[in-house]
Every structure is written in C-alpha cells, then in structure tokens.
Amino acid sequence: MTAQKQKQKQKKKRLIVVTADKGGSGKTAVARAMADTLMRNALPFLAFDADKRNAQLHRHYDPALSQFAGVPQGVTRIDLSVQGGADDLLNVLGSPTADLVLLDLPAGGGELFERLEKEIRLLDFLEELDYSLTLVSVISRVKDCINSLRTLMEFCGDQAEHVVVKNGFFGEADRFRRFDGSKTKALLLQRGSRVMTFPDLYDDTFDAIDDQNLTFSQVLQPEQGFSMADRRRVKVFLDETERQMRLTGDLLGLGGK
C-alpha cells in the first residue's frame, strides 16, 4: 500500500461528491439512492444540493433527512457558481460533527469543482481537516464521459479517490465497452479506485416516485399506496444499490461488509 493510500485509510471523515459530465446521466438518482442507503443503515451524514436547476436531492430528501438522526438542516441548497456560494459547505466541513458529507453537483460539475478548488483550495482544505475525498462520476456509454473523468482525475491527482458508476439505465455493465477498454479505467484501478454498477429501475415506478417527491424507502411503506409489484421492484433496487456501494470498500461511507 502506498503512503498516500495508507494516509487516506487512516482518515475517519469523508466528503462524497457526485458528478457527471452532462445532464441526463442519472447523477442525481445515484445521489438519492446513496442518501437512502446511508439512511437505511442509520449512518448520520450531512447533505448538500448544488444543482440549481434540478435540485432533486433537496426535493426528495430534505423532509426525510431533516427528521433523520437529529439532523434538522435536512438537505442544504448551495450555489457554487457565485463567490461565497460554498460557505455553508465549508463551515459544516470545519465543524466537529460532520464525519460524512454528501454533495450533489450539477451536470458538468467538474468545471464547478475546478472553480471551487481555485477559489478556496478545497483539496488542501480537506487535507487540513483530515477528510478523505471520494469523487463519484456517473457515466453513460459515450466517449465524453471518459474524457471528463480523465480530466477530473488529472486535476485532483492523488488528493482524491474515485468511484465510477455505470448507470444501468444505459445497459448492462458489460455494454460499457468503451470505458472498460480505456486507459482511464486501467489507471483508475491501478490507483485503487473502484467501479460499481447502478441498477436500473422500471420507468413507471421511477416516474411515480418522482411525481410524489418521495424517497425510495418511502415507497416500501404500504400507506404510500404503491402496488406490491412496485414495492418489490424498489426493494430489489435498494438492496442492489447497497450491495454495489459496499463493493467499493469504505469509499462511499458504508465499509465493505
């Protein structure tokens, strides 16, 4: 194990940043499922939604998270496109109680991340606060995803760990052949980063959840009025999401149980 990896392993706090190269990748659905999985495992965390135009994490999880594990602030909305827009996030990272933080960036968030780094030197700030940084890149099967991922990796160097998420909406895991055969994936694995598959969820079920602004777990409650078939689909979806998250070791806050 390299000295850098040993140092990362010893850290107890983690910032998880979910991003994607463009809209329609399923980025926020991944962030929502990750939030749901952390809640199902009773793991306290703080959540931030930086997607101004499509704040799904806030829309679906703010009420639920505000009642979870004594975290009254729920999902905090921030605007990283303006100067000072990261202040709420930075203040929370500097508090003694924020051991796990989830941040959903907007589509094309890599550019915002670079801006934030140049403005406040985020990577060094996290090092000073003894945080590990996990960058979650949600990909489809297009080449641009690989290019954006490589740019992000080069920008962060050894100050971040990466999880690449193959979104099952775009096909089975073995259909991501362009990524699987890329030098970028080889470099990722060489650095100890991980690849996971995000399960697809039946369109009609997903749309009904979206219409009602529910969390995925709320669908499992009979009083919400979903059919047994829908509840079963969501349970399988959540179970597989958790299994995939655990395959990343501790990079997504669950550990590799």
Side-chain angles (χ1 to χ4, degrees):
M1 180 180 294
T2 66
Q4 175 65 23
K5 291 300 177 185
Q6 182 65 40
K7 184 177 180 181
Q8 291 281 355
K9 188 174 182 179
Q10 291 172 350
K11 294 179 180 179
K12 295 183 179 179
K13 298 187 289 185
R14 185 171 295 276
L15 170 63
I16 301 171
V17 179
V18 185
T19 186
D21 68 308
K22 59 182 179 180
S25 65
K27 167 192 62 65
T28 300
V30 171
R32 285 163 50 193
M34 288 182 174
D36 217 309
T37 302
L38 295 173
M39 292 174 67
R40 291 175 80 204
N41 284 271
L43 292 171
F45 67 101
L46 301 178
F48 291 83
D49 192 332
D51 195 333
K52 292 193 300 180
R53 296 182 179 179
N54 189 24
Q56 286 187 36
L57 185 62
H58 181 269
R59 176 161 60 91
H60 287 267
Y61 282 83
D62 181 62
L65 188 54
S66 65
Q67 302 168 24
F68 166 72
V71 186
Q73 61 264 49
V75 180
T76 302
R77 296 190 66 177
I78 57 177
D79 183 359
L80 299 180
S81 66
V82 300
Q83 192 171 23
D87 285 2
D88 286 340
L89 171 64
L90 299 179
N91 290 333
V92 161
L93 291 172
S95 70
T97 57
D99 290 341
L100 185 61
V101 179
L102 177 67
L103 168 63
D104 184 30
L105 291 181
E111 293 182 7
L112 275 180
F113 186 85
E114 291 184 17
R115 172 178 174 166
L116 188 60
E117 168 61 18
K118 292 173 182 176
E119 180 183 337
I120 53 111
R121 295 185 180 177
L122 177 65
L123 295 172
D124 289 342
F125 182 64
L126 294 173
E127 288 281 349
E128 292 166 11
L129 295 176
D130 204 31
Y131 269 90
S132 295
L133 170 63
T134 300
L135 291 171
V136 179
S137 295
V138 183
I139 65 171
S140 63
R141 287 158 38 205
V142 301
K143 185 176 181 179
D144 288 344
C145 292
I146 303 172
N147 296 336
S148 297
L149 173 60
R150 186 60 175 258
T151 299
L152 189 60
M153 289 172 57
E154 292 173 350
F155 182 79
C156 295
D158 63 0
Q159 290 182 279
E161 297 169 292
H162 298 264
V163 173
V164 176
V165 180
K166 297 177 178 179
N167 188 349
F169 176 80
F170 299 102
E172 299 294 330
D174 60 3
R175 297 192 64 192
F176 288 72
R177 290 184 286 272
R178 183 179 281 112
F179 169 70
D180 287 336
S182 69
K183 294 180 180 178
T184 297
K185 180 183 179 182
L187 181 59
L188 271 169
L189 298 180
Q190 179 183 336
R191 292 183 177 180
S193 296
R194 303 295 180 91
V195 178
M196 63 171 274
T197 301
F198 185 61
D200 191 20
L201 181 61
Y202 184 54
D203 287 351
D204 289 351
T205 304
F206 188 92
D207 291 346
I209 296 170
D210 192 50
D211 288 342
Q212 298 184 45
N213 302 327
L214 297 173
T215 72
F216 292 117
S217 286
Q218 285 173 332
V219 177
L220 304 181
Q221 303 167 3
E223 59 267 27
Q224 295 295 343
F226 281 76
S227 69
M228 178 60 74
D230 279 333
R231 300 201 315 260
R232 186 61 188 175
R233 289 188 189 101
V234 172
K235 183 180 187 309
V236 171
F237 167 80
L238 287 174
D239 287 349
E240 179 60 16
T241 296
E242 179 171 340
R243 188 184 76 83
Q244 290 287 330
M245 287 178 66
R246 290 192 184 281
L247 292 177
T248 71
D250 63 351
L251 296 188
L252 297 177
L254 284 182
K257 298 178 183 177

